[in-house]
Amino acid sequence: MTRDRNSRLLKDLRISVTDRCNFRCTYCMPDDEYVWIARREILSFEEISRLARLFVALGVDKIRLTGGEPLLRRDLDKLIAQLAAIEGLQDLCLTTNGSLLAEKAEALAAAGLKRLNVSLDTLDAEKFARIRQRGDLRAVVDGLLAAKAAGFQRIKLNAVIERGVNEADILPLVEFAREHGFTMRFIEYMDVGNANHWLSEKMVSKREIIETINGRYPLREVGRDQSSAPAVDYEFTDGSGEVGVIASVTEPFCGSCTRGRLTADGKLVTCLFSAYGHDLKALLRSGATDDEISQLIIGVWSRRDDRYSDERLEAMQSPSGYQAKEHRKLEMITLGG
Ligand SMILES: C[S@@+](CC[C@H](N)C(=O)[O-])C[C@H]1O[C@@H](n2cnc3c(N)ncnc32)[C@H](O)[C@@H]1O
Ligand code: SF4
C-alpha cells in the first residue's frame, strides 16, 4: 500500500491517452491552438499497459481513460482489452465528449469497458455550439443511445455549470437523464488550466444546483459512493434514480483524494491543479526494470502533499481572496480530467 504525506492511498489512476480534442469547450480548452505533445512522446499502448500493471501492483484498483478526447486515439479498444485483462483491476471506465461514441460504443463494450461518463452540458443545440465551439449535439445524443444499446449500464452524464451560460439547463438535463436511465452528475466550474478565464462568480455552487433540482424533484442525500469518490450522490425520493454533484470548489475533498494522473507523454501528476508532472517515460524508455519504475512511483507518491482545492477555499474565504491567474497549472487536456 502506497501512502502520501497525508496518509492518502494511491487507489485511482486517470490516464490521458491524448491531449488532442475535436471540441474547444469554453471552460476547458477555449483556444484554437495549443502546444501539442509531439507524437513520438505519446506513450504507446504497450507502455501504458505496462505502467498500468505496475500501478495496480501498488494498490490502484480503478483506472479511468480520459484526455483530451480519448476516442480520438485510434484503436482505443485494443488498449481497453489490454487493461481489462490486468488482474486486480476492479474498475475500468472512460470519460468522453461522446462525439464518436455512436461508431465506437460496440467495440468498446466488446473490449471489456464496463462504464462510461459522457460530457453533456446542455440539450439546446445552439447553446451546445456556443459552449463546445465544435461538433454537434445530435452526434452526442446518438452516441449516448448507441452506448445504451451496446449494453453499457449506469452511464453517467457530466455537466459543468457556468453562471450566465447554462444554469437554466440543470432541470432539462435531469429530466433527460431520468427519462433514459442515465445518471446526471453536475460539476462545479473549476479553475483548471490557464486558458478559461475562471472567476469564482462564474461558478454555480453545489448548494444552488441541489436547491434547483430539489425544488422540482425532491432529493435525499446518499453520500459518496466510496469514501474517496469526488461526487456526493442524491437519490430522487420518487425512486427514479440518482444525481451527483462534484463540488471541488465549495466542498473540497483533498483529504480523501486517492487519484494519480498519467499524462499522455508519461508524466505522473499528483493533483488536478499541479504545475508539473514527474517523468516516468524517460525511465520506461531507458530499459529500466519494473522494480525501478515502481520505486520512482512510490517515491513521487510518498512525497505528495497536494491540497490545492482546500487551499483555494481558504484563500476565497480570506480578505485578500483567490486570484486564479496567479497560479500556473498544467492544462487539463494534458493531464487528463
Ligand atoms: C477534460 S475532459 C476529458 C474527457 C472528454 N474530452 C470529455 O469532455 O468528457 C474530462 C471532464 O473534465 C470536465 N471539465 C473540463 N473543464 C472543466 C472545468 N473548468 N471545470 C469543471 N470540469 C471541467 C469535463 O466536463 C469532463 O467531464
Ligand atoms: S472538456 Fe473534453 S471535449 Fe471539452 S475541450 Fe476539454 S477535453 Fe475537449
Side-chain angles (χ1 to χ4, degrees):
M1 288 300 197
T2 312
R3 289 188 186 271
D4 71 6
R5 284 197 185 156
N6 297 330
S7 298
R8 297 168 295 189
L9 291 166
L10 172 54
K11 296 281 287 174
D12 313 73
L13 184 65
R14 299 200 174 189
I15 302 177
S16 171
V17 293
T18 177
D19 59 338
R20 324 245 157 170
C21 189
N22 52 347
F23 286 3
R24 287 292 182 279
C25 304
T26 49
Y27 51 72
C28 177
M29 53 180 309
D31 301 335
D32 264 347
E33 284 303 322
Y34 286 82
V35 180
W36 306 108
I37 299 171
R39 290 199 187 275
R40 64 179 179 285
E41 305 297 335
I42 302 266
L43 295 185
S44 67
F45 288 169
E46 285 63 36
E47 289 173 325
I48 293 174
S49 297
R50 181 176 173 203
L51 287 177
R53 268 196 308 278
L54 298 179
F55 275 99
V56 170
L58 292 173
V60 163
D61 56 17
K62 174 174 173 181
I63 288 181
R64 174 178 302 283
L65 298 180
T66 178
E69 174 44 43
L71 295 185
L72 287 180
R73 184 86 188 246
R74 202 177 323 135
D75 299 329
L76 191 73
D77 53 306
K78 297 204 171 113
L79 174 65
I80 286 169
Q82 290 176 21
L83 297 177
I86 297 177
E87 215 170 302
L89 184 66
Q90 316 274 344
D91 198 3
L92 179 59
C93 7
L94 173 82
T95 302
T96 171
N97 65 26
S99 58
L100 302 171
L101 251 188
E103 56 189 271
K104 303 205 174 194
E106 272 190 26
L108 296 173
L113 185 70
K114 293 280 176 277
R115 295 203 302 117
L116 266 177
N117 286 13
V118 181
S119 298
L120 184 66
D121 313 298
T122 179
L123 291 158
D124 174 326
E126 189 266 327
K127 204 182 284 185
F128 182 99
R130 239 186 302 144
I131 296 174
R132 304 238 158 201
Q133 304 196 85
R134 296 191 187 169
D136 77 296
L137 174 65
R138 191 66 250 169
V140 177
V141 173
D142 287 349
L144 275 170
L145 300 179
K148 201 170 147 182
F152 284 100
Q153 315 269 328
R154 291 189 64 221
I155 297 171
K156 291 183 180 162
L157 307 185
N158 288 348
V160 177
I161 302 299
E162 187 177 342
R163 196 176 308 286
V165 177
N166 62 340
E167 308 99 302
D169 296 79
I170 294 174
L171 285 176
L173 285 166
V174 164
E175 282 156 7
F176 175 78
R178 281 164 57 96
E179 182 189 334
H180 292 280
F182 302 134
T183 301
M184 199 62 228
R185 290 210 320 188
F186 294 98
I187 309 177
E188 284 183 350
Y189 180 36
M190 300 182 282
D191 58 319
V192 291
N194 310 292
N196 66 5
H197 308 296
W198 185 89
L199 291 171
S200 59
E201 303 84 70
K202 292 189 188 173
M203 185 262 317
V204 179
S205 69
K206 167 171 170 272
R207 187 180 51 75
E208 293 171 85
I209 294 169
I210 290 301
E211 273 173 17
T212 303
I213 304 169
N214 192 51
R216 179 75 65 85
Y217 301 103
L219 295 170
R220 184 185 310 121
E221 183 169 335
V222 182
R224 294 184 198 272
D225 192 13
Q226 287 154 0
S227 58
S228 63
V232 179
D233 294 327
Y234 294 77
E235 60 187 12
F236 295 108
T237 55
D238 66 7
S240 58
E242 286 192 354
V243 61
V245 185
I246 300 179
S248 44
V249 180
T250 62
E251 295 176 17
F253 38 85
C254 299
S256 60
C257 177
T258 54
R259 274 169 291 284
R261 293 179 152 82
L262 183 64
T263 65
D265 59 348
K267 296 201 173 81
L268 173 58
V269 180
T270 54
C271 174
L272 181 56
F273 302 95
S274 290
Y276 59 91
H278 304 265
D279 192 9
L280 302 184
K281 179 174 75 317
L283 199 57
L284 189 70
R285 290 190 179 172
S286 72
T289 63
D290 284 356
D291 192 47
E292 285 166 335
I293 300 169
S294 299
Q295 287 309 320
L296 178 60
I297 298 169
I298 291 169
V300 169
W301 195 262
S302 61
R303 288 189 297 276
R304 176 188 194 238
D305 60 1
D306 309 270
R307 44 186 298 280
Y308 193 91
S309 296
D310 282 347
E311 289 164 358
R312 182 205 299 109
L313 186 61
E314 285 158 18
M316 283 168 68
Q317 291 168 339
S318 76
S320 48
Y322 171 74
Q323 305 303 327
K325 281 199 173 57
E326 287 172 6
H327 304 264
R328 289 296 301 171
K329 307 171 205 100
L330 288 168
E331 291 298 339
M332 198 169 188
I333 45 163
T334 306
L335 55 78

